[in-house]
Amino acid sequence: MRGIPATGTVVLVILGIGNHLWWLAAVALLYLYATHGRGSPRPTPPGTLPDNYRAYRDRRDRQARWERRYRRERPFEARRQEREKTS
């Protein structure tokens, strides 16, 4: 599917040698493909949560558990890091 916009752009550039409107058409084709083409990310509507929010929460909770375990198992190192962070 990527070959069609590329081929169309090349044809429009070749046609644009005599007419500058074809150059504009080639630029418009590339812009449309870049913004609405296959593989471009779709923005999420405002007010809705993305599908991967559950995965984000799982990673955040896993990181918090790891940090609590690290502080519990290495109290001196954790205190030193806290002192360095506040200084």
Side-chain angles (χ1 to χ4, degrees), residues 12-53:
L12 290 173
V13 167
I14 291 171
L15 290 173
I17 292 173
N19 188 353
H20 295 294
L21 289 176
W22 291 110
W23 281 94
L24 292 174
V27 169
L29 177 67
L30 286 175
Y31 173 76
L32 288 174
Y33 182 71
T35 56
H36 302 291
R38 187 172 164 209
S40 64
R42 302 244 194 288
T44 58
T48 60
L49 295 176
D51 294 335
N52 59 357
Y53 183 67

Short mmCIF file of all heavy atoms in Angstrom, two decimals, residues 12-53:
data_model
loop_
_atom_site.label_atom_id
_atom_site.label_comp_id
_atom_site.label_asym_id
_atom_site.label_seq_id
_atom_site.Cartn_x
_atom_site.Cartn_y
_atom_site.Cartn_z
N LEU A 12 3.36 12.63 -10.22
CA LEU A 12 2.99 14.04 -10.13
C LEU A 12 4.21 14.95 -10.22
O LEU A 12 4.13 16.04 -10.80
CB LEU A 12 2.23 14.30 -8.82
CG LEU A 12 0.82 13.69 -8.76
CD1 LEU A 12 0.24 13.87 -7.38
CD2 LEU A 12 -0.08 14.30 -9.81
N VAL A 13 5.34 14.52 -9.69
CA VAL A 13 6.56 15.33 -9.81
C VAL A 13 7.02 15.38 -11.26
O VAL A 13 7.43 16.44 -11.76
CB VAL A 13 7.67 14.78 -8.88
CG1 VAL A 13 9.02 15.37 -9.21
CG2 VAL A 13 7.31 15.04 -7.43
N ILE A 14 6.95 14.24 -11.96
CA ILE A 14 7.34 14.23 -13.37
C ILE A 14 6.42 15.13 -14.18
O ILE A 14 6.87 15.89 -15.04
CB ILE A 14 7.36 12.79 -13.91
CG1 ILE A 14 8.51 12.01 -13.26
CG2 ILE A 14 7.49 12.77 -15.43
CD1 ILE A 14 8.51 10.52 -13.55
N LEU A 15 5.12 15.05 -13.91
CA LEU A 15 4.19 15.93 -14.60
C LEU A 15 4.41 17.39 -14.22
O LEU A 15 4.09 18.30 -15.01
CB LEU A 15 2.74 15.53 -14.27
CG LEU A 15 2.25 14.22 -14.86
CD1 LEU A 15 0.87 13.89 -14.31
CD2 LEU A 15 2.22 14.28 -16.38
N GLY A 16 4.96 17.63 -13.04
CA GLY A 16 5.17 18.98 -12.56
C GLY A 16 6.30 19.73 -13.22
O GLY A 16 6.50 20.91 -12.94
N ILE A 17 7.04 19.06 -14.10
CA ILE A 17 8.13 19.75 -14.80
C ILE A 17 7.58 20.91 -15.61
O ILE A 17 8.14 21.99 -15.64
CB ILE A 17 8.91 18.76 -15.70
CG1 ILE A 17 9.66 17.77 -14.80
CG2 ILE A 17 9.87 19.49 -16.63
CD1 ILE A 17 10.33 16.64 -15.55
N GLY A 18 6.41 20.73 -16.24
CA GLY A 18 5.85 21.80 -17.05
C GLY A 18 4.80 22.62 -16.32
O GLY A 18 4.53 23.75 -16.70
N ASN A 19 4.19 22.08 -15.26
CA ASN A 19 3.10 22.77 -14.60
C ASN A 19 3.30 22.66 -13.09
O ASN A 19 3.33 21.56 -12.53
CB ASN A 19 1.76 22.15 -15.02
CG ASN A 19 0.58 22.92 -14.52
OD1 ASN A 19 0.72 23.86 -13.75
ND2 ASN A 19 -0.60 22.52 -14.97
N HIS A 20 3.37 23.79 -12.41
CA HIS A 20 3.64 23.79 -10.98
C HIS A 20 2.46 23.31 -10.14
O HIS A 20 2.62 22.96 -8.98
CB HIS A 20 4.07 25.18 -10.52
CG HIS A 20 5.36 25.61 -11.12
ND1 HIS A 20 6.54 24.98 -10.84
CD2 HIS A 20 5.67 26.59 -12.01
CE1 HIS A 20 7.53 25.55 -11.51
NE2 HIS A 20 7.02 26.54 -12.24
N LEU A 21 1.28 23.27 -10.71
CA LEU A 21 0.13 22.76 -9.97
C LEU A 21 0.29 21.27 -9.65
O LEU A 21 -0.19 20.79 -8.62
CB LEU A 21 -1.17 22.99 -10.75
CG LEU A 21 -1.62 24.46 -10.83
CD1 LEU A 21 -2.86 24.57 -11.70
CD2 LEU A 21 -1.89 25.00 -9.44
N TRP A 22 1.00 20.54 -10.52
CA TRP A 22 1.24 19.13 -10.25
C TRP A 22 2.17 18.96 -9.04
O TRP A 22 2.06 18.00 -8.29
CB TRP A 22 1.81 18.41 -11.47
CG TRP A 22 0.81 18.30 -12.58
CD1 TRP A 22 0.84 18.95 -13.78
CD2 TRP A 22 -0.37 17.49 -12.60
NE1 TRP A 22 -0.24 18.60 -14.54
CE2 TRP A 22 -1.00 17.69 -13.83
CE3 TRP A 22 -0.95 16.61 -11.70
CZ2 TRP A 22 -2.18 17.06 -14.18
CZ3 TRP A 22 -2.12 15.98 -12.03
CH2 TRP A 22 -2.73 16.21 -13.27
N TRP A 23 3.12 19.90 -8.88
CA TRP A 23 3.98 19.86 -7.69
C TRP A 23 3.14 20.03 -6.43
O TRP A 23 3.35 19.33 -5.44
CB TRP A 23 5.03 20.99 -7.75
CG TRP A 23 6.17 20.70 -8.64
CD1 TRP A 23 6.30 21.06 -9.95
CD2 TRP A 23 7.36 20.00 -8.33
NE1 TRP A 23 7.48 20.63 -10.46
CE2 TRP A 23 8.16 19.98 -9.48
CE3 TRP A 23 7.83 19.38 -7.17
CZ2 TRP A 23 9.40 19.36 -9.50
CZ3 TRP A 23 9.08 18.77 -7.20
CH2 TRP A 23 9.84 18.77 -8.37
N LEU A 24 2.21 20.96 -6.47
CA LEU A 24 1.34 21.16 -5.32
C LEU A 24 0.50 19.92 -5.05
O LEU A 24 0.26 19.55 -3.89
CB LEU A 24 0.44 22.38 -5.54
CG LEU A 24 1.15 23.73 -5.56
CD1 LEU A 24 0.19 24.84 -5.93
CD2 LEU A 24 1.79 24.00 -4.21
N ALA A 25 0.04 19.26 -6.12
CA ALA A 25 -0.73 18.04 -5.95
C ALA A 25 0.13 16.94 -5.31
O ALA A 25 -0.35 16.18 -4.46
CB ALA A 25 -1.28 17.57 -7.29
N ALA A 26 1.41 16.86 -5.68
CA ALA A 26 2.32 15.86 -5.09
C ALA A 26 2.52 16.14 -3.60
O ALA A 26 2.49 15.22 -2.77
CB ALA A 26 3.66 15.87 -5.82
N VAL A 27 2.69 17.41 -3.25
CA VAL A 27 2.87 17.76 -1.84
C VAL A 27 1.60 17.45 -1.06
O VAL A 27 1.65 16.92 0.05
CB VAL A 27 3.26 19.25 -1.72
CG1 VAL A 27 3.20 19.72 -0.28
CG2 VAL A 27 4.64 19.47 -2.29
N ALA A 28 0.44 17.76 -1.66
CA ALA A 28 -0.83 17.46 -0.99
C ALA A 28 -1.00 15.96 -0.79
O ALA A 28 -1.49 15.52 0.26
CB ALA A 28 -1.99 18.04 -1.80
N LEU A 29 -0.63 15.17 -1.78
CA LEU A 29 -0.73 13.71 -1.66
C LEU A 29 0.16 13.19 -0.52
O LEU A 29 -0.27 12.36 0.29
CB LEU A 29 -0.34 13.03 -2.98
CG LEU A 29 -0.33 11.50 -2.97
CD1 LEU A 29 -1.75 10.98 -2.79
CD2 LEU A 29 0.27 10.97 -4.24
N LEU A 30 1.39 13.69 -0.44
CA LEU A 30 2.28 13.27 0.64
C LEU A 30 1.75 13.70 2.01
O LEU A 30 1.82 12.95 2.97
CB LEU A 30 3.68 13.84 0.42
CG LEU A 30 4.50 13.18 -0.68
CD1 LEU A 30 5.81 13.93 -0.87
CD2 LEU A 30 4.75 11.73 -0.36
N TYR A 31 1.19 14.91 2.08
CA TYR A 31 0.64 15.38 3.34
C TYR A 31 -0.54 14.51 3.78
O TYR A 31 -0.62 14.11 4.94
CB TYR A 31 0.21 16.84 3.21
CG TYR A 31 -0.53 17.34 4.43
CD1 TYR A 31 0.16 17.66 5.58
CD2 TYR A 31 -1.91 17.46 4.43
CE1 TYR A 31 -0.50 18.09 6.71
CE2 TYR A 31 -2.59 17.90 5.55
CZ TYR A 31 -1.88 18.22 6.68
OH TYR A 31 -2.55 18.62 7.80
N LEU A 32 -1.43 14.23 2.86
CA LEU A 32 -2.59 13.41 3.20
C LEU A 32 -2.18 12.00 3.62
O LEU A 32 -2.74 11.43 4.56
CB LEU A 32 -3.56 13.34 2.03
CG LEU A 32 -4.34 14.63 1.75
CD1 LEU A 32 -5.16 14.49 0.48
CD2 LEU A 32 -5.23 14.95 2.93
N TYR A 33 -1.19 11.45 2.94
CA TYR A 33 -0.73 10.12 3.30
C TYR A 33 -0.07 10.12 4.69
O TYR A 33 -0.25 9.21 5.48
CB TYR A 33 0.24 9.57 2.26
CG TYR A 33 0.69 8.17 2.59
CD1 TYR A 33 -0.19 7.10 2.47
CD2 TYR A 33 1.97 7.91 3.05
CE1 TYR A 33 0.20 5.81 2.78
CE2 TYR A 33 2.37 6.64 3.37
CZ TYR A 33 1.48 5.58 3.23
OH TYR A 33 1.86 4.32 3.56
N ALA A 34 0.69 11.19 4.97
CA ALA A 34 1.37 11.26 6.25
C ALA A 34 0.39 11.45 7.41
O ALA A 34 0.59 10.91 8.49
CB ALA A 34 2.39 12.39 6.25
N THR A 35 -0.67 12.21 7.18
CA THR A 35 -1.60 12.48 8.28
C THR A 35 -2.70 11.45 8.41
O THR A 35 -3.13 11.12 9.51
CB THR A 35 -2.23 13.87 8.13
OG1 THR A 35 -2.88 13.96 6.87
CG2 THR A 35 -1.18 14.95 8.26
N HIS A 36 -3.19 10.93 7.29
CA HIS A 36 -4.32 10.01 7.34
C HIS A 36 -4.00 8.62 6.80
O HIS A 36 -4.87 7.78 6.74
CB HIS A 36 -5.50 10.56 6.52
CG HIS A 36 -5.95 11.90 7.00
ND1 HIS A 36 -6.58 12.07 8.21
CD2 HIS A 36 -5.86 13.13 6.45
CE1 HIS A 36 -6.86 13.34 8.37
NE2 HIS A 36 -6.42 14.01 7.34
N GLY A 37 -2.78 8.42 6.41
CA GLY A 37 -2.40 7.16 5.77
C GLY A 37 -2.31 6.01 6.73
O GLY A 37 -2.50 6.13 7.94
N ARG A 38 -1.99 4.88 6.19
CA ARG A 38 -1.89 3.65 6.97
C ARG A 38 -0.71 3.74 7.92
O ARG A 38 0.38 4.17 7.56
CB ARG A 38 -1.68 2.49 6.00
CG ARG A 38 -1.73 1.16 6.64
CD ARG A 38 -1.70 0.09 5.59
NE ARG A 38 -1.38 -1.16 6.22
CZ ARG A 38 -0.75 -2.13 5.60
NH1 ARG A 38 -0.39 -2.00 4.37
NH2 ARG A 38 -0.49 -3.24 6.23
N GLY A 39 -0.93 3.34 9.16
CA GLY A 39 0.15 3.32 10.13
C GLY A 39 0.30 4.60 10.92
O GLY A 39 1.11 4.66 11.83
N SER A 40 -0.46 5.63 10.61
CA SER A 40 -0.35 6.85 11.39
C SER A 40 -1.21 6.72 12.63
O SER A 40 -2.30 6.18 12.58
CB SER A 40 -0.78 8.06 10.57
OG SER A 40 -2.15 7.95 10.23
N PRO A 41 -0.72 7.20 13.77
CA PRO A 41 -1.49 7.07 15.01
C PRO A 41 -2.72 7.96 14.98
O PRO A 41 -2.68 9.09 14.52
CB PRO A 41 -0.51 7.50 16.09
CG PRO A 41 0.46 8.36 15.40
CD PRO A 41 0.55 7.86 13.98
N ARG A 42 -3.81 7.43 15.49
CA ARG A 42 -5.05 8.20 15.56
C ARG A 42 -5.13 8.85 16.95
O ARG A 42 -4.92 8.18 17.96
CB ARG A 42 -6.24 7.28 15.38
CG ARG A 42 -6.23 6.52 14.07
CD ARG A 42 -7.42 6.94 13.23
NE ARG A 42 -7.72 6.08 12.11
CZ ARG A 42 -7.01 5.99 11.01
NH1 ARG A 42 -5.90 6.63 10.92
NH2 ARG A 42 -7.40 5.24 10.01
N PRO A 43 -5.41 10.13 17.01
CA PRO A 43 -5.53 10.77 18.32
C PRO A 43 -6.78 10.27 19.05
O PRO A 43 -7.81 10.02 18.44
CB PRO A 43 -5.64 12.25 18.00
CG PRO A 43 -6.13 12.31 16.59
CD PRO A 43 -5.62 11.07 15.92
N THR A 44 -6.66 10.13 20.36
CA THR A 44 -7.80 9.68 21.14
C THR A 44 -8.71 10.87 21.41
O THR A 44 -8.24 11.97 21.67
CB THR A 44 -7.36 9.07 22.48
OG1 THR A 44 -6.62 10.05 23.19
CG2 THR A 44 -6.52 7.83 22.26
N PRO A 45 -10.00 10.67 21.34
CA PRO A 45 -10.92 11.77 21.62
C PRO A 45 -10.77 12.24 23.05
O PRO A 45 -10.47 11.43 23.95
CB PRO A 45 -12.31 11.16 21.40
CG PRO A 45 -12.10 9.86 20.73
CD PRO A 45 -10.68 9.45 20.95
N PRO A 46 -10.95 13.52 23.30
CA PRO A 46 -10.79 14.01 24.67
C PRO A 46 -11.86 13.42 25.58
O PRO A 46 -13.00 13.23 25.19
CB PRO A 46 -10.95 15.53 24.54
CG PRO A 46 -11.59 15.75 23.21
CD PRO A 46 -11.26 14.57 22.36
N GLY A 47 -11.46 13.14 26.80
CA GLY A 47 -12.39 12.59 27.77
C GLY A 47 -12.44 11.08 27.79
O GLY A 47 -13.14 10.50 28.60
N THR A 48 -11.71 10.40 26.90
CA THR A 48 -11.70 8.94 26.91
C THR A 48 -10.32 8.45 27.31
O THR A 48 -9.31 9.08 27.00
CB THR A 48 -12.05 8.37 25.53
OG1 THR A 48 -11.09 8.82 24.59
CG2 THR A 48 -13.43 8.80 25.08
N LEU A 49 -10.29 7.33 27.97
CA LEU A 49 -9.02 6.74 28.38
C LEU A 49 -8.51 5.83 27.28
O LEU A 49 -9.29 5.11 26.66
CB LEU A 49 -9.21 5.94 29.67
CG LEU A 49 -9.59 6.76 30.90
CD1 LEU A 49 -9.85 5.83 32.07
CD2 LEU A 49 -8.51 7.75 31.24
N PRO A 50 -7.21 5.82 27.03
CA PRO A 50 -6.68 4.91 26.01
C PRO A 50 -6.81 3.45 26.45
O PRO A 50 -6.96 3.14 27.64
CB PRO A 50 -5.22 5.33 25.88
CG PRO A 50 -4.91 6.05 27.13
CD PRO A 50 -6.19 6.66 27.61
N ASP A 51 -6.74 2.56 25.48
CA ASP A 51 -6.89 1.13 25.76
C ASP A 51 -5.76 0.58 26.62
O ASP A 51 -5.94 -0.41 27.33
CB ASP A 51 -6.96 0.34 24.46
CG ASP A 51 -8.21 0.67 23.67
OD1 ASP A 51 -9.20 1.09 24.29
OD2 ASP A 51 -8.18 0.49 22.44
N ASN A 52 -4.61 1.20 26.54
CA ASN A 52 -3.47 0.65 27.27
C ASN A 52 -3.34 1.25 28.67
O ASN A 52 -2.30 1.14 29.30
CB ASN A 52 -2.18 0.86 26.49
CG ASN A 52 -1.91 2.31 26.22
OD1 ASN A 52 -2.69 3.17 26.58
ND2 ASN A 52 -0.79 2.59 25.58
N TYR A 53 -4.39 1.88 29.19
CA TYR A 53 -4.32 2.44 30.54
C TYR A 53 -4.13 1.35 31.58
O TYR A 53 -3.41 1.52 32.57
CB TYR A 53 -5.57 3.26 30.84
CG TYR A 53 -5.53 3.93 32.18
CD1 TYR A 53 -4.63 4.95 32.44
CD2 TYR A 53 -6.37 3.53 33.20
CE1 TYR A 53 -4.57 5.56 33.67
CE2 TYR A 53 -6.33 4.14 34.44
CZ TYR A 53 -5.42 5.15 34.68
OH TYR A 53 -5.37 5.74 35.90
#
